[in-house]
Amino acid sequence: MADIPTTPRGNWDSKLGFILAAAGSAVGLGNIWRFPTEAASNGGAAFLLIYLACCFLIGFPVMIAEMSIGRSSKKNPVGAFRSLSTNKFFPLVGIWGVLCGVMILSFYTVIAGWTFSHVFVEIFVYAEMFEVASFLADFENGYVNAVFAILFMACTIGIIRGGVSNGIERATKLMMPMLLIILVIMTVYVLFQPGAGEGIEIYLYPDFSMIDMELILAAMGQAFFSLSLGMGAIITYGSYLGKKENIAEAAGFVTLADVGIAFLAGLLILPTIYMAQAEGVQIFDAEGNFLAGPALIFQLLPELFAQMGGITGLLFGVLFFSLLSIAALTSTISLLEVPVSYVIDEHKIKRKSAALYVGLGILVISLIISFNTALIDTIDFTFSVIGLPLGGLLICIFLGYVWKTENAIEEIKHGYENVKDTFFAKAWTVFVKFVCPLIILIILIQTIYNNYFSS
Ligand code: PHE
């Protein structure tokens, strides 16, 4: 028995294990499905710029905040707020986080199901069984959506039942580097295709006149979603982290990895969108919305693989969708881990049953969404775009004014001994106490005002 856990809650086996698991949570459909779609419908480079600012100025400080809350309390989000202060309000923030996690996971599972089904679509296309392929690729077919959502949830539940180092850590170690490699190869391929230029231009040359409140809100929501922040996923993962590790360094690595992969995905998908448009495929409606809705990349990428043709197309298609499924899986396990750790800690239920029952409960919502995919946009907007920044705002307020930054710095000291006197510590304190909450608050208030009070 080499593997004696230091706490009954489980621990990461190694530092790399934690970083990869946190990066695995961050990197997912948010980078490859959500980011390019949002960027394309919000003016390309202008969105990219604001998104990058949100990731580094708000996301990175909030990630350090979540990691330190998690490691100090060794609890799920609800228990963490309860154990670090006597304030009665903040455990509710934990509950809000659990709710956001549940709702995000419910639609995420359906989209992850599309990713998985496309592995088979690619194979059937290669085998020239076009009828089966288009049957499986039909997003309007609730039954197909449901079957793949069930398969995906089953995998997620299976891994979460395996626990922290056995399940989550092992699954991430191999897959993350592989995804990066295939993404780079595909991006290089696309960049050399005729017609890629317009997409690259839109993605990289900002038109500042595009920046308005709606774009800023979308970019901030995307930053929170992509970095897995605002709902306690990183609090939960941080609660399994050993005292030797350097939180600031880990958060920096995760942020860079996540932003880097999103940037690459944009470089792949935006040119693809404009290449398809140049070929006469109608992509946007009059308002600039995608005609295909959330299914857009699942229509465009297969075209790209078909264009590569033959066995190359098959290989890239199958590999890409397999790796994207795995990237989605490392995110769904972090989403499910939040409500599961809550149920284990607070209601003293065993991990195996908690994972099963919570997972099945969420699957019920996923099945409803499978038959009503129009719900995805509404749930996504409510719980990702509004819900996560709201959670992030409350986490900053908790850390800055209730638990206090001095205590957090004491926690960060484990693994980063002389942090107290560094510029980093001073800057981070100012960001968590003032900059982040203020920016988030202004954006949220402006949005509510624009939506409900201005004509
Ligand atoms: N960050 C994940 C992605 O980009 C989604 C996620 C959101 C995971 C919130 C956990 C918590 O796909």
Short mmCIF file of all heavy atoms in Angstrom, two decimals, residues 407-431:
data_model
loop_
_atom_site.label_atom_id
_atom_site.label_comp_id
_atom_site.label_asym_id
_atom_site.label_seq_id
_atom_site.Cartn_x
_atom_site.Cartn_y
_atom_site.Cartn_z
N ASN A 407 -5.12 36.40 5.94
CA ASN A 407 -5.23 34.95 6.18
C ASN A 407 -4.95 34.16 4.91
O ASN A 407 -4.35 33.09 4.94
CB ASN A 407 -6.62 34.60 6.72
CG ASN A 407 -6.79 35.09 8.13
OD1 ASN A 407 -5.87 34.99 8.94
ND2 ASN A 407 -7.94 35.66 8.43
N ALA A 408 -5.42 34.70 3.80
CA ALA A 408 -5.17 34.02 2.52
C ALA A 408 -3.67 34.01 2.22
O ALA A 408 -3.12 33.00 1.78
CB ALA A 408 -5.94 34.71 1.40
N ILE A 409 -3.02 35.14 2.48
CA ILE A 409 -1.57 35.21 2.22
C ILE A 409 -0.85 34.19 3.12
O ILE A 409 0.09 33.52 2.68
CB ILE A 409 -1.03 36.64 2.48
CG1 ILE A 409 -1.69 37.64 1.53
CG2 ILE A 409 0.49 36.67 2.37
CD1 ILE A 409 -1.06 37.84 0.18
N GLU A 410 -1.31 34.06 4.37
CA GLU A 410 -0.72 33.04 5.26
C GLU A 410 -0.83 31.65 4.62
O GLU A 410 0.06 30.83 4.70
CB GLU A 410 -1.45 33.02 6.61
CG GLU A 410 -1.02 34.12 7.58
CD GLU A 410 0.48 34.08 7.89
OE1 GLU A 410 0.99 32.98 8.18
OE2 GLU A 410 1.13 35.15 7.81
N GLU A 411 -1.98 31.41 3.99
CA GLU A 411 -2.20 30.11 3.34
C GLU A 411 -1.28 29.96 2.13
O GLU A 411 -0.68 28.90 1.91
CB GLU A 411 -3.68 29.99 2.91
CG GLU A 411 -4.04 28.70 2.21
CD GLU A 411 -3.73 27.46 3.03
OE1 GLU A 411 -4.06 27.45 4.23
OE2 GLU A 411 -3.14 26.51 2.47
N ILE A 412 -1.15 31.03 1.37
CA ILE A 412 -0.32 30.96 0.16
C ILE A 412 1.16 30.76 0.52
O ILE A 412 1.92 30.17 -0.23
CB ILE A 412 -0.52 32.24 -0.71
CG1 ILE A 412 -1.98 32.34 -1.16
CG2 ILE A 412 0.38 32.24 -1.93
CD1 ILE A 412 -2.35 33.63 -1.86
N LYS A 413 1.52 31.23 1.74
CA LYS A 413 2.90 31.08 2.23
C LYS A 413 3.36 29.61 2.19
O LYS A 413 4.53 29.34 1.94
CB LYS A 413 2.97 31.54 3.68
CG LYS A 413 3.82 32.76 3.90
CD LYS A 413 3.64 33.19 5.32
CE LYS A 413 4.87 33.70 5.99
NZ LYS A 413 4.54 34.05 7.39
N HIS A 414 2.46 28.70 2.46
CA HIS A 414 2.83 27.28 2.34
C HIS A 414 3.11 27.02 0.87
O HIS A 414 2.22 27.11 0.04
CB HIS A 414 1.70 26.36 2.79
CG HIS A 414 1.25 26.62 4.18
ND1 HIS A 414 1.97 26.25 5.29
CD2 HIS A 414 0.14 27.22 4.66
CE1 HIS A 414 1.34 26.61 6.38
NE2 HIS A 414 0.22 27.20 6.02
N GLY A 415 4.35 26.72 0.57
CA GLY A 415 4.70 26.47 -0.83
C GLY A 415 5.26 27.70 -1.52
O GLY A 415 5.75 27.62 -2.64
N TYR A 416 5.17 28.88 -0.86
CA TYR A 416 5.71 30.12 -1.45
C TYR A 416 6.11 30.98 -0.26
O TYR A 416 5.43 31.93 0.10
CB TYR A 416 4.61 30.80 -2.28
CG TYR A 416 5.04 32.01 -3.10
CD1 TYR A 416 4.13 32.63 -3.96
CD2 TYR A 416 6.33 32.54 -3.03
CE1 TYR A 416 4.48 33.73 -4.71
CE2 TYR A 416 6.69 33.64 -3.77
CZ TYR A 416 5.77 34.23 -4.61
OH TYR A 416 6.11 35.34 -5.36
N GLU A 417 7.26 30.59 0.33
CA GLU A 417 7.61 31.04 1.68
C GLU A 417 7.64 32.55 1.87
O GLU A 417 7.02 33.07 2.79
CB GLU A 417 8.97 30.44 2.05
CG GLU A 417 9.00 29.91 3.45
CD GLU A 417 10.30 29.19 3.67
OE1 GLU A 417 10.45 28.04 3.18
OE2 GLU A 417 11.17 29.81 4.28
N ASN A 418 8.39 33.25 0.98
CA ASN A 418 8.52 34.70 1.23
C ASN A 418 7.51 35.54 0.47
O ASN A 418 7.77 36.69 0.13
CB ASN A 418 9.95 35.16 0.92
CG ASN A 418 10.45 34.49 -0.33
OD1 ASN A 418 9.63 33.94 -1.09
ND2 ASN A 418 11.74 34.50 -0.57
N VAL A 419 6.34 34.99 0.24
CA VAL A 419 5.34 35.69 -0.56
C VAL A 419 4.96 37.05 0.03
O VAL A 419 4.70 38.00 -0.67
CB VAL A 419 4.07 34.81 -0.76
CG1 VAL A 419 3.42 34.47 0.54
CG2 VAL A 419 3.09 35.48 -1.70
N LYS A 420 4.96 37.12 1.37
CA LYS A 420 4.45 38.30 2.06
C LYS A 420 5.06 39.61 1.57
O LYS A 420 4.36 40.61 1.45
CB LYS A 420 4.71 38.15 3.56
CG LYS A 420 3.50 38.49 4.38
CD LYS A 420 3.69 38.16 5.82
CE LYS A 420 2.46 38.54 6.62
NZ LYS A 420 2.53 37.97 7.94
N ASP A 421 6.37 39.58 1.32
CA ASP A 421 7.03 40.84 0.97
C ASP A 421 7.10 41.09 -0.53
O ASP A 421 7.73 42.04 -0.97
CB ASP A 421 8.47 40.83 1.52
CG ASP A 421 8.45 40.52 3.00
OD1 ASP A 421 7.61 41.12 3.69
OD2 ASP A 421 9.23 39.65 3.44
N THR A 422 6.46 40.25 -1.31
CA THR A 422 6.61 40.41 -2.75
C THR A 422 5.62 41.43 -3.31
O THR A 422 4.58 41.72 -2.71
CB THR A 422 6.35 39.08 -3.49
OG1 THR A 422 5.04 38.65 -3.12
CG2 THR A 422 7.36 38.03 -3.11
N PHE A 423 5.96 41.92 -4.50
CA PHE A 423 5.05 42.81 -5.22
C PHE A 423 3.77 42.05 -5.56
O PHE A 423 2.66 42.59 -5.49
CB PHE A 423 5.73 43.29 -6.51
CG PHE A 423 4.80 43.98 -7.45
CD1 PHE A 423 4.33 45.26 -7.15
CD2 PHE A 423 4.36 43.37 -8.61
CE1 PHE A 423 3.44 45.91 -7.99
CE2 PHE A 423 3.46 44.00 -9.46
CZ PHE A 423 3.01 45.28 -9.15
N PHE A 424 3.97 40.76 -5.87
CA PHE A 424 2.81 39.93 -6.22
C PHE A 424 1.74 39.97 -5.12
O PHE A 424 0.56 40.17 -5.38
CB PHE A 424 3.26 38.49 -6.49
CG PHE A 424 2.16 37.49 -6.34
CD1 PHE A 424 1.23 37.31 -7.34
CD2 PHE A 424 2.04 36.75 -5.17
CE1 PHE A 424 0.19 36.41 -7.19
CE2 PHE A 424 1.00 35.85 -5.01
CZ PHE A 424 0.07 35.68 -6.02
N ALA A 425 2.18 39.81 -3.86
CA ALA A 425 1.22 39.77 -2.75
C ALA A 425 0.47 41.10 -2.64
O ALA A 425 -0.75 41.13 -2.42
CB ALA A 425 1.94 39.46 -1.45
N LYS A 426 1.20 42.19 -2.83
CA LYS A 426 0.55 43.51 -2.70
C LYS A 426 -0.44 43.72 -3.84
O LYS A 426 -1.58 44.13 -3.63
CB LYS A 426 1.61 44.62 -2.71
CG LYS A 426 2.51 44.51 -1.49
CD LYS A 426 3.42 45.71 -1.34
CE LYS A 426 4.32 45.52 -0.12
NZ LYS A 426 5.49 44.66 -0.38
N ALA A 427 0.00 43.40 -5.05
CA ALA A 427 -0.87 43.60 -6.21
C ALA A 427 -2.11 42.70 -6.09
O ALA A 427 -3.24 43.15 -6.31
CB ALA A 427 -0.11 43.28 -7.49
N TRP A 428 -1.88 41.46 -5.71
CA TRP A 428 -3.01 40.53 -5.62
C TRP A 428 -4.04 41.03 -4.60
O TRP A 428 -5.25 40.98 -4.84
CB TRP A 428 -2.50 39.13 -5.25
CG TRP A 428 -3.59 38.13 -5.13
CD1 TRP A 428 -4.33 37.60 -6.14
CD2 TRP A 428 -4.10 37.57 -3.91
NE1 TRP A 428 -5.27 36.72 -5.64
CE2 TRP A 428 -5.15 36.69 -4.27
CE3 TRP A 428 -3.78 37.71 -2.56
CZ2 TRP A 428 -5.87 35.97 -3.32
CZ3 TRP A 428 -4.49 36.99 -1.62
CH2 TRP A 428 -5.52 36.13 -1.99
N THR A 429 -3.55 41.54 -3.45
CA THR A 429 -4.45 42.05 -2.43
C THR A 429 -5.32 43.18 -3.00
O THR A 429 -6.55 43.19 -2.82
CB THR A 429 -3.64 42.60 -1.23
OG1 THR A 429 -2.78 41.56 -0.78
CG2 THR A 429 -4.53 43.03 -0.11
N VAL A 430 -4.69 44.11 -3.72
CA VAL A 430 -5.45 45.22 -4.31
C VAL A 430 -6.47 44.69 -5.33
O VAL A 430 -7.62 45.14 -5.36
CB VAL A 430 -4.48 46.22 -4.99
CG1 VAL A 430 -5.26 47.28 -5.75
CG2 VAL A 430 -3.56 46.85 -3.97
N PHE A 431 -6.06 43.73 -6.11
CA PHE A 431 -6.98 43.19 -7.11
C PHE A 431 -8.18 42.50 -6.47
O PHE A 431 -9.31 42.74 -6.85
CB PHE A 431 -6.24 42.24 -8.06
CG PHE A 431 -5.68 42.96 -9.25
CD1 PHE A 431 -4.51 43.68 -9.15
CD2 PHE A 431 -6.35 42.96 -10.47
CE1 PHE A 431 -3.99 44.39 -10.23
CE2 PHE A 431 -5.86 43.66 -11.55
CZ PHE A 431 -4.68 44.37 -11.44
#
